[in-house]
Amino acid sequence: MTQWNATASAAARNLGRNSIFCGLTALLPLIVGPITAEYRGFAPPLGWLLMLVFCVIVLALAIHLLFDALLFRLASTYDTETAGLAAVDDLLSRMQLRTLDRTPPGLERRIAGSRRIVWQQRFALAICLAIFAILLLDATDGQPLC
């Protein structure tokens, strides 16, 4: 396995883990929220709607990152970086998700783009969890849940 294969495989593995972890974490307030709201009283609907929007954003980014992970895994199966990235570009152009460029971006640039999406996902998840904490404190009037 060459250096670029290892880099592409590691990027695919890290993107997959991050997207699954953040996606499941975003689902947690959606599962626990109605239970606590019913137990302690109803929080403002606007707050729940706002939390739902950010959870959907996190889940959409998780799906996008899983797709990126699969593309990196596909690229890592080829012998050379050029052939692997050309296969990814060909797949994306056949799916009509991207047009073929004269100078396709390299592996590092693609990984950097995926890392930006990871940080956007983490930011949206932090907002979602902060809204959930605020709604939980509002529903309990500052009292502990136990």
Side-chain angles (χ1 to χ4, degrees), residues 12-94:
R13 189 172 40 255
N14 291 337
L15 289 174
R17 286 179 187 164
N18 186 76
S19 65
I20 290 172
F21 176 75
C22 287
L24 291 176
T25 305
L27 288 177
L28 187 65
L30 294 178
I31 295 169
V32 176
I35 297 168
T36 58
E38 192 173 295
Y39 175 68
R40 291 288 188 160
F42 191 73
L46 180 63
W48 287 109
L49 183 63
L50 191 61
M51 186 182 70
L52 178 67
V53 167
F54 278 101
C55 286
V56 168
I57 290 171
V58 171
L59 292 175
L61 290 174
I63 292 169
H64 187 258
L65 288 173
L66 280 175
F67 184 69
D68 281 355
L70 291 174
L71 291 176
F72 283 123
R73 187 159 295 144
L74 170 69
S76 70
T77 60
Y78 286 83
D79 293 332
T80 63
E81 180 178 354
T82 307
L85 296 180
V88 168
D89 288 338
D90 181 53
L91 177 68
L92 291 174
S93 68
R94 283 189 285 149

Side-chain angles (χ1 to χ4, degrees), residues 90-102:
D90 181 53
L91 177 68
L92 291 174
S93 68
R94 283 189 285 149
M95 293 175 70
Q96 298 179 351
L97 296 175
R98 174 188 272 173
T99 59
L100 289 175
D101 296 333
R102 293 180 191 248

